[in-house]
Amino acid sequence: MGVRPDNRLADAPMHPVACTSCAARVLVRKASWQQTSVQWSDEAMAACSSWSPGSAVKGLPPVCDRLRDSIAQAVVDGTLPVLAPEDD
Amino acid sequence: MTAVHNGTGADEVRHIEFEAAPARYARGWHCIGLEREFRDGKPHSIEAFGTKLVVWADSQGEIKVLDAYCRHMGGDLSQGTVKGDEVACPFHDWRWGGDGRCKQIPYARRVPLRARTRTWHAMAQDGLVFVWHDHEGNAPIPEQAIPLIDGGPSDPTWTDWAWATTVVNTNCREIIDNVVDMAHFFYVHHAFPTYFKNTFEGHTATQLQKGVNRDDMRPAEVAIGAPKRLGNTSVATYHGPSFMIDDLIYHYEHGDTRTVLINCHYPIDENSFMLLYGISMQRPEVQDDDPAAADALAAKMVATVRLGFEQDVEIWKNKTRIDNPLLCEEDGPVYQLRRWYEQFYVDVDQVTSEMTERFEFELDTTKPIEAWQREVEENVARRAEAAAAEAAAAAVPQTQDA
Ligand code: FES
Ligand SMILES: [Fe+2]
Ligand SMILES: [Zn+2]
């Protein structure tokens, strides 16, 4: 079969973001203020030390809130671009 | 807009590309239906994985699955009868055991040496029967075990499955794509997600959705007398390539209702699949007056789900397969989901970390972005100020020198 590359990544690839509280490094893409994609590697998964059970919603895989904060901070710092910065 | 380059001019026509659907079927557990239906002492016929299977329960109550076509002269065992622990072929009465061996030929003195047919791993839990398929013929992979359902018919405070099936004449990748297709919830199902998240990891693909319903577009539900829904919170996870458990909380005018929705399928062949789905609902606590009311409501809900799938099927029936969907930024992670799905089609030793490493996609329309944007603007302004101050400071010694 072989899956094709995502046409959107050709124009705007993912950006490395480091978690500010652990050694996890992931790839992030913000297509808008509301939309965030995160590509983890197995190494980053192992490096992250602050997994929390994933919001109040049952059955959701654990999440790292600190990484989420780190991503928000990377936007503020200007190291992670927001592709469609218009608000709606 | 920056969308038009990469060597293709804006005037160039985009071509839809697709390869034929894969000639093999996904590796994993596939639910084939309700346990109670297979426990009637008869052999059952399931057309799946490009062949036909016979399914029956032996005297111990264990579900057995074999190739339906008898290795003697090709008779269809699923049209035969259960005799003791064995299934008897309707053609010449050869008796096949659940272990795949022919135990007896009533008119022969001995059974030929090679009288052995293909067996399929099967299991039953939560009132459902599952068959394991692996192109390479390997035994079930423990990591791909289907988890027990939290709630559901195994719990006496929940209703039994309200269940439905339908044949869909397209390759089953179409229904998998639904996991990421946020936009279709709005346009096809008239639901409006306010929060949406996909997580693909290992052999699971999860979709979290919190939504409100579009008031303007529910005539079909109103017509069947479905209760008015305000919104829902749904955590739906594919455990392997075909079995999705959806913990679904409906928010009604009168309060919340916890339900479990099963959405699963098995391939009949490359170009068709059996879609199976069902709902179990937690019975409301105060309901001693009418214990059947919850079951009636569950039946209504499954009718609502049927409406949803009918809307999907209508699309699938007419659409083309497409390997190179042209996605806009607002679309979900279709390519990443397909990359995850690919792991079930390649040989086990061909599964790459790319297919199984975690990928997250989040759409949060509830986060107040104005404050965040203001923070960024302030930060940018602060930095510009600092840069200006630095430039000014750097300029000072020069003025002194001059
Ligand atoms: S074909 Fe089955 S017994 Fe002859
Ligand atoms: Fe759908
Ligand atoms: Zn972390």
Side-chain angles (χ1 to χ4, degrees):
Chain A
M1 243 183 349
V3 177
R4 315 283 178 108
D6 189 329
N7 64 281
R8 297 165 296 190
L9 293 177
D11 294 330
M14 302 189 84
H15 286 259
V17 171
C19 184
T20 52
S21 67
C22 74
R25 284 177 60 83
V26 297
L27 292 172
V28 184
R29 189 172 185 275
K30 275 197 73 62
S32 70
W33 290 89
Q34 300 177 334
Q35 186 185 313
T36 314
S37 300
V38 181
Q39 177 66 63
W40 291 79
S41 64
D42 290 335
E43 296 73 52
M45 293 290 292
C48 177
S49 51
S50 37
W51 293 109
S52 65
S55 74
V57 183
K58 188 179 66 73
L60 203 66
V63 295
C64 176
D65 292 322
R66 302 203 177 150
L67 180 77
R68 211 160 175 265
D69 296 343
S70 305
I71 291 169
Q73 190 56 45
V75 172
V76 172
D77 293 345
T79 56
L80 178 64
V82 178
L83 297 179
E86 67 271 11
D87 35 328
D88 53 305
Chain B
M1 277 302 293
T2 56
V4 191
H5 42 73
N6 276 341
T8 48
D11 295 333
E12 200 173 308
V13 170
R14 171 114 176 161
H15 292 286
I16 287 179
E17 296 168 10
F18 62 92
E19 286 169 28
R24 56 164 80 179
Y25 305 101
R27 172 177 46 253
W29 287 108
H30 293 75
C31 174
I32 55 168
L34 295 179
E35 194 180 354
R36 61 170 186 254
E37 288 178 6
F38 292 107
R39 292 197 181 284
D40 58 357
K42 292 178 191 140
H44 291 258
S45 187
I46 297 285
E47 280 183 62
F49 311 112
T51 185
K52 197 189 281 185
L53 311 179
V54 58
V55 185
W56 80 100
D58 71 10
S59 61
Q60 306 302 304
E62 255 189 82
I63 302 287
K64 300 293 180 186
V65 182
L66 301 178
D67 273 9
Y69 295 122
C70 180
R71 295 316 198 238
H72 177 222
M73 286 180 69
D76 179 356
L77 298 176
S78 68
Q79 303 304 312
T81 43
V82 175
K83 293 181 179 167
D85 279 344
E86 287 122 36
V87 63
C89 183
F91 204 175
H92 315 92
D93 204 27
W94 286 33
R95 313 289 174 80
W96 295 91
D99 61 359
R101 293 184 185 279
C102 179
K103 306 289 183 184
Q104 195 199 338
I105 303 169
Y107 61 89
R109 262 180 302 137
R110 56 183 285 277
V111 174
L113 224 48
R114 275 174 286 278
R116 192 163 181 190
T117 189
R118 179 163 53 165
T119 61
W120 296 71
H121 291 273
M123 62 114 180
Q125 66 183 37
D126 282 315
L128 307 171
V129 173
F130 297 82
V131 171
W132 173 262
H133 174 266
D134 179 14
H135 183 81
E136 297 173 273
N138 295 321
I141 298 171
E143 296 78 54
Q144 263 185 253
I146 305 291
L148 286 169
I149 291 166
D150 175 20
S154 308
D155 184 329
T157 65
W158 288 62
T159 65
D160 199 2
W161 294 119
W163 196 256
T165 64
T166 183
V167 175
V168 181
N169 289 307
T170 191
N171 179 267
C172 51
R173 186 176 76 179
E174 299 295 347
I175 193 167
I176 296 295
D177 278 351
N178 260 10
V179 174
V180 297
D181 194 346
M182 280 180 305
H184 104 284
F185 286 111
F186 187 80
Y187 291 106
V188 181
H189 303 306
H190 317 306
F192 181 68
T194 54
Y195 182 89
F196 184 94
K197 184 170 181 181
N198 285 129
T199 307
F200 315 138
E201 185 179 345
H203 66 273
T204 62
T206 297
Q207 177 203 73
L208 164 65
Q209 207 200 142
K210 296 178 206 170
V212 292
N213 283 109
R214 281 170 66 184
D215 303 328
D216 55 322
M217 297 284 290
R218 311 192 69 78
E221 286 188 29
V222 172
I224 61 161
K228 182 173 163 59
R229 213 194 291 153
L230 304 175
N232 62 282
T233 302
S234 154
V235 184
T237 301
Y238 267 109
H239 299 274
S242 74
F243 189 74
M244 175 185 265
I245 303 172
D246 186 356
D247 280 297
L248 185 53
I249 302 168
Y250 286 106
H251 311 298
Y252 287 102
E253 276 174 330
H254 59 269
D256 284 358
T257 300
R258 259 198 81 190
T259 66
V260 171
L261 167 66
I262 298 300
N263 160 21
C264 60
H265 64 272
Y266 59 83
I268 297 169
D269 57 30
E270 303 100 286
N271 299 309
S272 62
F273 64 90
M274 182 68 81
L275 172 64
L276 312 92
Y277 52 99
I279 284 187
S280 172
M281 192 182 82
Q282 191 171 33
R283 295 175 196 281
E285 265 155 38
V286 275
Q287 219 191 35
D288 336 57
D289 46 326
D290 186 7
D295 301 81
L297 185 56
K300 260 182 192 168
M301 283 175 167
V302 96
T304 306
V305 174
R306 177 181 281 284
L307 291 175
F309 278 128
E310 277 168 5
Q311 290 157 348
D312 283 329
V313 169
E314 191 56 30
I315 298 285
W316 296 333
K317 232 167 45 185
N318 296 292
K319 78 181 287 293
T320 178
R321 186 176 174 85
I322 178 166
D323 289 349
N324 63 334
L326 178 63
L327 303 180
C328 65
E329 290 295 353
E330 287 73 14
D331 286 324
V334 176
Y335 287 98
Q336 291 80 1
L337 176 72
R338 289 183 177 182
R339 197 178 58 191
W340 169 84
Y341 189 50
E342 179 85 347
Q343 69 177 294
F344 305 110
Y345 286 86
V346 298
D347 288 353
V348 169
D349 64 6
Q350 300 293 308
V351 176
T352 63
S353 54
E354 266 206 324
M355 300 170 186
T356 58
E357 280 174 335
R358 179 189 282 216
F359 178 84
E360 300 172 333
F361 172 91
E362 181 190 78
L363 181 82
D364 188 355
T365 65
T366 63
K367 187 180 161 109
I369 61 171
E370 289 78 19
W372 193 13
Q373 278 173 306
R374 215 176 307 121
E375 195 185 343
V376 175
E377 277 158 26
E378 283 165 11
N379 190 41
V380 169
R382 209 179 309 119
R383 255 189 291 162
E385 251 167 58
E390 215 172 279
V396 171
Q398 283 182 340
T399 12
Q400 278 176 339
D401 276 346

